[in-house]
Amino acid sequence: MSEPELGTKAPESDAMEPSIISSTDTPAQTGPTMGEHCVTDRPTPATARQPSGALTKFGDIEVYVSKPGDYPNTPAKLLLLLTSGTGVHSLNNQIQADLLAAEGFVVIMPDQFGGDAAPNTKAISNEEPASPSILEQFKLRAAETAKSFLVDMWLARQTPEKVLPILLKVIDVVRDEYADAVAHGGGIYSVGYCFGGKYTTLLAGEGVDAVGAVGQAQAQAPQDEETRVVKKASGPLIKAGAVAHATLVTREDLKGVKVPLSFVCVENDPLFPDEILEEGKKQFATSNLEHEIKTYPGVPHGFAVYGDYDSPTIKQAQQTAFQQILSWIKSH
């Protein structure tokens, strides 16, 4: 396969270029937008391992926790894994957490959707369907239209005002319950896929200021419990992170980043438009922020999440992306 394109890694020669980050996002970023791979799982391989972690609760928040086999006898670092719309009950996401745990991390994968995972979440079939009849084609189009509507309605509910308080509560718990792992890593690491990529990016920013419109809304909002929780976020809440084929990331999200991030990107990805990524690169260079951006050609959005593909090219890219993420968080 073609090697992923290494976009940038700071410090860079163009570090003095002025930022062209604007407050206006492209149409693709202003409304609910999600891809099929953000809300459905790939099939698991026939020889798939079974999850080795466990579902538990931090208060009223469901979390999947996966630990290295010899923890706590051998120190481990703390990693927050933020998923796509498929959520904590996805077998693929659980195995993804286990793979990272096997590399020396206590992995905490929270239900960032508060029990409201993406609708119609199911595995995508690898089998090519037979040519449908005209009636079947009509039914398929109607079903896809209905599903798209449901996904958009679901996504409209998954706002920073809802998601961030959940993540902040989880972070409060892990700082106490897994203080040894947090201390061993010198902070909390985060890896985010698809929807979770946006929130890893936000946690890498300057708290409520990195949320932009959320901060403005809260300035005028009643002082309810959720508002107070979000306002507790000040400064980056993670030490370093990695983001794979993020969705819904805005210019302001990237502008707020203050800690080292690695990006796994898909070539010509409408869910992470090139113009936003390019402006992010210039912002990172201007602020001399340590970062890494690799673009993978010939792969679909969502390819880096654990799951089976028929294409050897995509399978190899998936392995390469995992090593990119792993190398980054281990070296920071």
Side-chain angles (χ1 to χ4, degrees):
M1 65 163 284
S2 300
E3 286 297 317
E5 176 189 349
L6 178 58
T8 53
K9 191 168 183 179
E12 301 172 48
S13 59
D14 60 351
M16 297 308 293
E17 287 188 22
S19 169
I20 57 172
I21 299 290
S22 71
S23 59
T24 305
D25 287 322
T26 62
Q29 296 292 307
T30 55
T33 305
M34 291 285 274
E36 180 75 2
H37 291 276
C38 299
V39 295
T40 53
D41 274 332
R42 296 298 305 175
T44 53
T47 57
R49 55 192 292 171
Q50 291 300 306
S52 59
L55 284 164
T56 185
K57 282 196 170 184
F58 290 174
D60 59 348
I61 301 168
E62 194 167 27
V63 296
Y64 180 82
V65 179
S66 189
K67 308 171 186 176
D70 54 354
Y71 175 81
N73 294 327
T74 299
K77 299 178 181 180
L78 197 291
L79 175 65
L80 190 67
L81 177 58
L82 305 182
T83 71
S84 65
T86 52
V88 296
H89 291 278
S90 158
L91 180 67
N92 290 7
N93 290 338
Q94 291 178 3
I95 295 174
Q96 188 84 64
D98 296 343
L99 292 172
L100 289 164
E103 297 292 339
F105 294 90
V106 172
V107 180
I108 307 296
M109 184 169 72
D111 174 15
Q112 59 197 342
F113 308 117
D116 183 22
N120 297 333
T121 297
K122 62 181 180 180
I124 301 170
S125 174
N126 263 342
E127 298 179 1
E128 290 295 328
S131 298
S133 66
I134 293 176
L135 178 59
E136 287 171 336
Q137 290 180 41
F138 175 80
K139 289 180 178 178
L140 286 171
R141 284 197 297 269
E144 286 304 311
T145 298
K147 179 177 179 180
S148 177
F149 174 76
L150 288 173
V151 168
D152 285 353
M153 292 296 290
W154 168 80
L155 187 59
R157 300 193 296 270
Q158 312 309 321
T159 62
E161 293 95 332
K162 173 186 176 181
V163 176
L164 282 174
I166 293 173
L167 298 183
L168 294 172
K169 289 177 184 177
V170 168
I171 288 172
D172 279 347
V173 172
V174 299
R175 282 175 171 168
D176 180 36
E177 190 165 337
Y178 295 100
D180 60 325
V182 175
H184 182 63
I188 296 172
Y189 296 84
S190 179
V191 174
Y193 294 86
C194 300
F195 182 96
K198 176 182 177 71
Y199 288 88
T200 290
T201 304
L202 288 178
L203 294 178
E206 293 183 312
V208 72
D209 291 336
V211 187
V214 175
Q216 296 173 12
Q218 288 171 347
Q220 303 171 354
Q223 293 297 303
D224 59 24
E225 181 180 355
E226 281 201 352
T227 299
R228 288 197 299 272
V229 170
V230 172
K231 283 193 174 182
K232 289 180 183 176
S234 58
L237 295 175
I238 60 174
K239 178 182 179 182
V243 174
H245 36 69
T247 64
L248 306 178
V249 172
T250 68
R251 293 167 169 83
E252 288 302 313
D253 296 342
L254 295 175
K255 187 177 180 180
V257 173
K258 300 300 179 185
V259 302
L261 284 186
S262 176
F263 290 83
V264 170
C265 299
V266 173
E267 188 176 43
N268 301 318
D269 187 355
L271 300 178
F272 195 174
D274 289 343
E275 57 267 30
I276 289 183
L277 180 59
E278 289 302 317
E279 292 182 7
K281 289 179 185 178
K282 293 185 178 181
Q283 176 64 32
F284 296 158
T286 299
S287 60
N288 201 33
L289 178 74
E290 187 182 3
H291 67 283
E292 175 183 61
I293 299 174
K294 292 184 180 180
T295 301
Y296 291 73
V299 297
H301 183 94
F303 81 98
V305 178
Y306 182 85
D308 197 22
Y309 286 91
D310 287 336
S311 166
T313 297
I314 299 176
K315 288 183 178 180
Q316 181 58 54
Q318 189 180 76
Q319 294 174 13
T320 304
F322 180 77
Q323 289 303 319
Q324 175 189 333
I325 291 170
L326 187 61
S327 296
W328 185 263
I329 57 177
K330 279 191 169 184
S331 63
H332 290 82

